[in-house]
């Protein structure tokens, strides 16, 4: 039987992801509510009819807004994970050490332990895929969000065009528009800037107790966590 202390221990062990998912849920609900109100206000302004929240979350307006942002977030994380495997930033805790880190570069087979992931015992191809699985997963989520951004954007763009006597556009047609790429690049540039700023500031500034920061007394030139 699971005890209260077991549950408390589980919460402590997973507190960071729980907190982030709660913040995500609160923000997501806020986006739904605010987006629904904005959409209905626009409909009424143009002589349309209001829709319910459940109807709203199926609209291109909502789908585009959600995945336009998710797309840039997953691209940011995927790029950081992949580029940090090969590039350096002197003094940053998120960088590889300048002199190299054998424990990161060593052959995984030579580091096998009793509790190592089972997939590492399933042959060379499985190992090769698994050793790049984090960046592969993040880039896959980016591509999925990219497609859904295009899908939602095409629906919303078509709705606007039809309301003004124009014609609809396909998803591929929408990808070829300047509007789609404006939406993408305006998010991508902010994500890449935020990562660059974090890397540079973490060289000189500290946050005590955070693994994203070096120890407070560390030299600015000390690289890696």
């Amino acid at each position: 039987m699971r005890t209260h202390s077991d549950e408390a221990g589980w919460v402590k062990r997973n507190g960071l992801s729980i907190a982030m998912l709660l913040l995500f849920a609160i923000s997501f609900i806020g986006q739904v509510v605010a987006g629904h109100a904005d959409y209905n206000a626009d409909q009424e302004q143009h002589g349309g009819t209001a829709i319910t929240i459940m109807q709203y979350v199926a609209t291109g307006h909502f789908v585009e807004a959600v995945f336009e942002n998710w797309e840039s977030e997953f691209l940011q994380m995927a790029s950081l994970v992949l580029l940090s495997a090969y590039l350096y930033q002197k003094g940053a805790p998120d960088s590889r050490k300048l002199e190299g880190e054998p424990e990161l570069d060593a052959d995984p087979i030579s580091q096998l332990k009793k509790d190592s992931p089972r997939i590492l015992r399933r042959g060379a191809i499985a190992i090769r895929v698994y050793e790049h699985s984090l960046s592969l997963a993040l880039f896959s989520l980016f591509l999925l969000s990219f497609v859904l951004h295009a899908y939602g954007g095409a629906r919303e763009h078509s709705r606007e065009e039809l309301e003004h006597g124009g014609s609809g556009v396909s998803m591929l047609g929408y990808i070829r528009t300047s509007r789609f790429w404006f939406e993408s690049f305006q998010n991508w540039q902010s994500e890449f800037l935020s990562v660059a700023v974090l890397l540079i500031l973490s060289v000189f500034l500290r946050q005590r107790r955070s693994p994203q920061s070096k120890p407070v007394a560390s030299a600015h030139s000390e690289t890696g966590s």
Side-chain angles (χ1 to χ4, degrees):
M1 179 179 294
R2 194 171 186 178
T3 65
H4 177 71
S5 60
D6 290 334
E7 293 175 353
W10 182 87
V11 171
K12 180 179 180 179
R13 291 191 299 271
N14 298 280
L16 185 56
S17 56
I18 291 172
M20 296 306 297
L21 287 171
L22 283 174
L23 288 171
F24 161 73
I26 292 169
S27 301
F28 189 77
I29 292 170
Q31 181 184 5
V32 171
V33 173
H36 175 241
D38 178 68
Y39 183 88
N40 278 343
D42 183 69
Q43 285 290 96
E44 292 172 5
Q45 183 178 358
H46 292 87
T49 57
I51 61 175
T52 66
I53 281 188
M54 293 305 295
Q55 291 173 319
Y56 171 67
V57 296
T59 63
H61 183 275
F62 179 74
V63 173
E64 177 185 29
V66 170
F67 290 102
E68 176 187 337
N69 285 281
W70 289 19
E71 165 195 313
S72 61
E73 297 295 342
F74 288 127
L75 177 61
Q76 174 211 62
M77 291 187 290
S79 300
L80 179 61
V81 167
L82 184 61
L83 292 177
S84 63
Y86 303 99
L87 303 179
Y88 303 86
Q89 174 55 56
K90 182 179 178 180
D94 284 330
S95 170
R96 292 164 52 89
K97 293 183 182 298
L98 298 178
E99 64 273 17
E101 294 187 358
E103 67 272 19
L104 291 179
D105 298 334
D107 178 14
I109 295 299
S110 67
Q111 297 182 313
L112 278 179
K113 304 173 185 176
K114 182 182 297 185
D115 58 351
S116 294
R118 294 180 182 177
I119 194 172
L120 295 177
R121 295 178 172 83
R122 295 182 180 175
I125 295 178
I127 292 173
R128 181 55 60 89
V129 171
Y130 187 69
E131 65 185 8
H132 298 289
S133 57
L134 181 56
S135 58
L136 287 172
L138 290 170
F139 275 117
S140 296
L141 288 169
F142 159 70
L143 289 174
L144 176 62
S145 298
F146 183 89
V147 170
L148 289 172
H149 168 203
Y151 168 74
R155 289 185 58 190
E156 178 62 11
H157 186 67
S158 295
R159 181 186 70 85
E160 294 174 355
E161 287 295 305
L162 292 171
E163 285 181 350
H164 294 87
S167 57
V169 64
S170 67
M171 188 174 77
L172 290 177
Y174 184 65
I175 290 176
R176 291 195 291 266
T177 66
S178 58
R179 170 171 158 171
F180 174 80
W181 290 105
F182 172 73
E183 292 169 346
S184 293
F185 282 126
Q186 72 171 335
N187 284 288
W188 295 2
Q189 56 86 14
S190 64
E191 299 298 340
F192 292 136
L193 176 63
S194 67
V195 171
V197 168
L198 175 62
L199 288 171
I200 295 170
L201 290 182
S202 67
V203 174
F204 307 102
L205 305 180
R206 309 286 187 267
Q207 177 56 57
R208 188 178 180 187
R209 295 176 59 86
S210 174
Q212 302 303 314
S213 168
K214 294 180 293 187
V216 176
S218 294
H220 292 329
S221 60
E222 184 174 327
T223 305
S225 56

